[in-house]
Amino acid sequence: MALFYRGVIISALLVLSVTAVTAEADDSDDGVTVETIEEEDYQSPQVDSKNVYLAEHFDDVAAFKKKWVKSEAKKQGVDENIAKYDGKWEIQSPSRRILKNDLGLVLTTEAKHAAISALLDKPFEFKDKPLIVQYEVTMQEGQNCGGAYIKLLSRGVNTKADLKQFHDQTPYTIMFGPDKCGNDNKLHFIFRHKNPKNGTIEEKHSKKPTQRLDDIYKDKEPHLYTLIVRPDNTFTILVDNKEANAGSLLEDFTPPVNPPEEIDDPDDRKPDDWDEREKIVDPTATKPADWDEDAPAQIPDPNAVKPDSWLDDEPETIPDPTARKPDDWDEDMDGEWEAPLVDNPRCAAAAGCGPWRPPSIPNPAYKGPWRAPLIANPNYRGRWSPRRVPNPHYFRDDHPFRMTPIHAVGFELWSMSPSLLFDNIIVTDDEQVAAEWAKQTYAIKRAKITSDSESLAERALQYAGAHPWVYGVVIVGAFLLVGLVAYCCCVPSTDTDSITKKTDAVVEDDPHSEGDGQEVDASGEGEAEEVEEEEKGEGKEESKKSKAELEGNGEEEKTSPVDTEGAGDGQRKRKPRKE
């Protein structure tokens, strides 16, 4: 078995070594290089600031402290004990460090209100350029309940003093990002629309995403969220650069941007004599004279005939003839004993036993209770609905993209899971700028994560797909392994230890046996008893002698060679008895 395991290991190492050496030679000959993402490769992203309104990578702690402001406000409409925004924000490395020197904004507390915000480098005006908002979220400990969305704060939040009062009622233009509680997973895109007729503000919620997003709350990996809102009133939402939602500001939001032109008259009431019944019971109908409501639904079949083999005088069950009254049956306490009933064996061969009755069939005269038929209602006026009147609040906004200008961004959150990490926020009007920003940040992280997570087997399969000759090496190695296994299984074993244990008649004395030094002649069974008797006597003498010597001089007995006839060529050592 040891040879087998050694053979397997050697064969496996041989195959791997040949593959690795050949692969290295192949790569060097072809000039192929495997790109690896090292921690030192990361640098804070840089983009042209011309089309950028905010670009925050959180890698510069000093710059973060100057720009970002923690809220000192209190949440409205909640208990005073929990109203304060006392959640803690810190700049930290990710708990699972992917890139060296890459930091992020971390909400370190749970079950606390937390808010932090920063002014844009310049306000964003909704005119003729799209709005692109992009940022990363890593739910480092997963998410049970809470949001990770970003708010784009409206004009009026213009100073750091305003940011210190950032709370849940602070006006925002857009809210975007993931939110989860229980099994309710959302990817918010909400914009606040201003009624051009009366100036009121109403939130508009986008339709649900087209794909399931359960994994983003569980895998504890960074995810990239991108919102693109265009001047033609279309929008696109990307998650990890893949489309998760898209549509129109005019058609895919609830409630819709534009109200209906007509509405139900709130003052209209249904008349008391309005009859909505389509059919009524015929008042002129009468029950026919021959209608028998008492006729049974089933009657005996008049055509049925009793079978000839029917046994009228035989009961269906009889007392069990093999039953016996129990010995402990007490008739005073248990009553008169009766044998249990069993099926009558005579009925098994007959059509039936006992009084014969014809089977029942449906009664052709049965009609059931009489009911008057339904007829069309001559007074039917249809379903009533209030009359339609012009909507006094109607307006038509064909350009909902023209939202309230944005002056700041912020996170106003409550989460049951700590360590939410936000990173690489960018607000721009150029999709290419956002794509380049992601290429310098998120793309590098994903490449590093993929590289780290690929197992040796996955890499081997990828290499084998690009280099078919690897399959030949594996096949040859497999044949070698099979041949080695067959050799190890078929060649007879020559283990000397096992031979000695099974055939050598000379064994160590058993200190607990009656006769020390018993031996078995390996050359045959016929002489075994004779040798045993001789050795039994010798064993007793040796034992007595050893005991006497030990008692006389107190010295430890040394083992001595003893010649044994018929025990093989070797000598055996006798083990001293311990008293």
Side-chain angles (χ1 to χ4, degrees):
M1 185 59 68
L3 287 176
F4 170 74
Y5 286 122
R6 286 197 295 269
V8 170
I9 295 174
I10 294 173
S11 300
L13 291 175
L14 178 62
V15 173
L16 291 176
S17 301
V18 172
T19 304
V21 172
T22 311
E24 182 178 0
D26 183 69
D27 285 348
S28 60
D29 293 341
D30 296 342
V32 176
T33 59
V34 179
E35 182 179 357
T36 57
I37 307 297
E38 302 293 341
E39 288 187 336
E40 290 73 19
D41 292 340
Y42 174 76
Q43 294 181 353
S44 298
Q46 300 292 331
V47 292
D48 186 358
S49 61
K50 178 181 178 181
N51 300 101
V52 174
Y53 300 83
L54 176 74
E56 178 59 80
H57 47 64
F58 297 111
D59 296 332
D60 189 335
V61 178
F64 163 78
K65 292 181 178 179
K66 292 180 180 179
K67 189 173 186 64
W68 289 79
V69 178
K70 298 178 182 179
S71 175
E72 300 175 359
K74 292 184 178 181
K75 189 176 180 70
Q76 299 181 4
V78 299
D79 189 88
E80 183 70 19
N81 297 329
I82 60 172
K84 188 176 181 181
Y85 283 90
D86 53 356
K88 295 183 179 180
W89 300 90
E90 295 182 10
I91 299 298
Q92 297 180 353
S93 298
S95 56
R96 173 192 175 187
R97 193 171 79 165
I98 302 172
L99 302 172
K100 184 178 180 181
N101 300 324
D102 180 28
L103 305 177
L105 174 64
V106 179
L107 175 57
T108 60
T109 52
E110 60 180 302
K112 290 181 179 291
H113 297 292
I116 192 169
S117 55
L119 296 172
L120 297 182
D121 298 336
K122 53 185 178 182
F124 180 87
E125 303 283 344
F126 289 89
K127 294 181 179 179
D128 56 354
K129 293 184 178 180
L131 168 70
I132 298 95
V133 182
Q134 182 174 274
Y135 71 110
E136 294 176 29
V137 181
T138 306
M139 299 176 183
Q140 300 185 102
E141 296 186 15
Q143 180 66 291
N144 295 321
C145 186
Y149 42 77
I150 190 170
K151 287 185 175 181
L152 308 183
L153 305 182
S154 303
R155 179 176 51 202
V157 181
N158 303 323
T159 66
K160 289 189 175 182
D162 297 330
L163 299 181
K164 289 183 179 181
Q165 298 304 313
F166 176 34
H167 61 287
D168 60 317
Q169 299 300 318
T170 300
Y172 67 88
T173 300
I174 288 177
M175 189 174 89
F176 167 63
D179 190 9
K180 170 185 171 65
C181 197
N183 294 325
D184 187 12
N185 302 335
K186 297 179 180 178
L187 181 56
H188 289 298
F189 171 25
I190 304 171
F191 75 93
R192 284 161 43 97
H193 178 260
K194 183 177 181 180
N195 187 317
K197 190 168 185 176
N198 56 27
T200 58
I201 302 294
E202 188 176 35
E203 290 183 351
K204 309 295 181 181
H205 295 249
S206 70
K207 64 181 182 181
K208 292 184 177 181
T210 56
Q211 66 182 41
R212 295 182 62 86
L213 301 172
D214 296 349
D215 290 343
I216 65 177
Y217 301 100
K218 300 182 293 186
D219 60 13
K220 303 179 182 180
E221 294 186 354
H223 292 282
L224 183 69
Y225 299 89
T226 307
L227 170 65
I228 305 169
V229 189
R230 304 179 185 88
D232 64 356
N233 298 319
T234 62
F235 74 93
T236 301
I237 295 176
L238 307 176
V239 177
D240 299 340
N241 291 320
K242 297 178 181 179
E243 183 177 300
N245 205 351
S248 168
L249 301 179
L250 288 167
E251 300 174 359
D252 298 304
F253 282 77
T254 304
V257 169
N258 293 311
E261 294 186 40
E262 291 184 341
I263 60 171
D264 293 339
D265 184 354
D267 299 325
D268 194 11
R269 297 291 183 269
K270 182 174 70 172
D272 294 337
D273 61 348
W274 191 280
D275 196 340
E276 293 182 330
R277 298 174 300 166
E278 293 187 34
K279 292 182 178 293
I280 59 173
V281 175
D282 185 0
T284 63
T286 58
K287 183 175 70 172
D290 61 347
W291 192 284
D292 185 3
E293 291 184 330
D294 298 329
Q298 299 280 329
I299 61 172
D301 184 1
N303 299 319
V305 178
K306 182 175 69 173
D308 294 337
S309 62
W310 191 277
L311 304 177
D312 295 271
D313 299 330
E314 287 290 340
E316 294 184 2
T317 59
I318 60 173
D320 186 358
T322 63
R324 296 292 181 270
K325 183 174 68 173
D327 296 336
D328 59 350
W329 186 274
D330 188 343
E331 292 190 354
D332 294 335
M333 297 183 60
D334 301 328
E336 184 180 356
W337 180 82
E338 295 180 355
L341 298 178
V342 296
D343 292 337
N344 189 342
R346 296 184 179 181
C347 297
C353 292
W356 178 83
R357 296 180 183 86
S360 297
I361 61 173
N363 185 0
Y366 174 74
K367 294 184 178 181
W370 179 85
R371 293 182 180 87
L374 298 178
I375 62 173
N377 183 2
N379 299 319
Y380 175 66
R381 301 175 63 179
R383 295 289 180 179
W384 182 87
S385 60
R387 62 177 174 266
R388 302 285 288 178
V389 296
N391 185 358
H393 304 293
Y394 173 74
F395 62 84
R396 183 70 187 177
D397 183 1
D398 292 325
H399 305 286
F401 172 78
R402 298 173 185 173
M403 305 177 194
T404 305
I406 299 169
H407 282 204
V409 300
F411 297 101
E412 187 267 318
L413 304 171
W414 182 90
S415 174
M416 285 300 296
S417 299
S419 301
L420 291 180
L421 185 146
F422 302 90
D423 204 0
N424 300 318
I425 306 170
I426 188 168
V427 180
T428 179
D429 58 22
D430 189 335
E431 293 185 38
Q432 294 300 321
V433 170
E436 178 60 28
W437 180 267
K439 184 178 179 181
Q440 298 180 43
T441 54
Y442 176 75
I444 297 177
K445 291 180 185 179
R446 289 309 313 175
K448 185 65 165 62
I449 292 173
T450 302
S451 176
D452 292 343
S453 63
E454 284 183 344
S455 65
L456 177 61
E458 290 172 337
R459 295 184 184 182
L461 289 174
Q462 291 177 359
Y463 188 86
H467 304 79
W469 56 264
V470 173
Y471 292 107
V473 175
V474 173
I475 292 173
V476 172
F479 275 113
L480 292 175
L481 180 61
V482 171
L484 183 60
V485 171
Y487 174 80
C488 294
C489 294
C490 297
V491 173
S493 175
T494 56
D495 193 338
T496 56
D497 293 338
S498 62
I499 294 175
T500 301
K501 290 179 181 179
K502 293 181 179 180
T503 62
D504 190 358
V506 181
V507 295
E508 291 184 347
D509 292 339
D510 184 355
H512 302 290
S513 63
E514 181 179 356
D516 294 342
Q518 295 180 2
E519 299 178 2
V520 178
D521 191 345
S523 60
E525 297 180 357
E527 301 176 7
E529 295 182 358
E530 181 179 353
V531 173
E532 181 178 353
E533 292 295 330
E534 294 176 1
E535 287 296 315
K536 183 174 181 181
E538 293 177 5
K540 289 183 178 179
E541 294 177 1
E542 289 289 334
S543 178
K544 293 180 180 179
K545 183 179 179 180
S546 298
K547 182 176 180 180
E549 292 176 358
L550 286 173
E551 290 177 351
N553 53 28
E555 294 181 355
E556 182 179 355
E557 180 183 6
K558 296 182 182 179
T559 58
S560 59
V562 179
D563 293 334
T564 304
E565 184 179 357
D569 296 335
Q571 295 178 336
R572 113 179 131 88
K573 295 181 179 180
R574 188 178 301 281
K575 186 176 181 180
R577 180 191 297 273
K578 293 182 180 180
E579 296 295 334

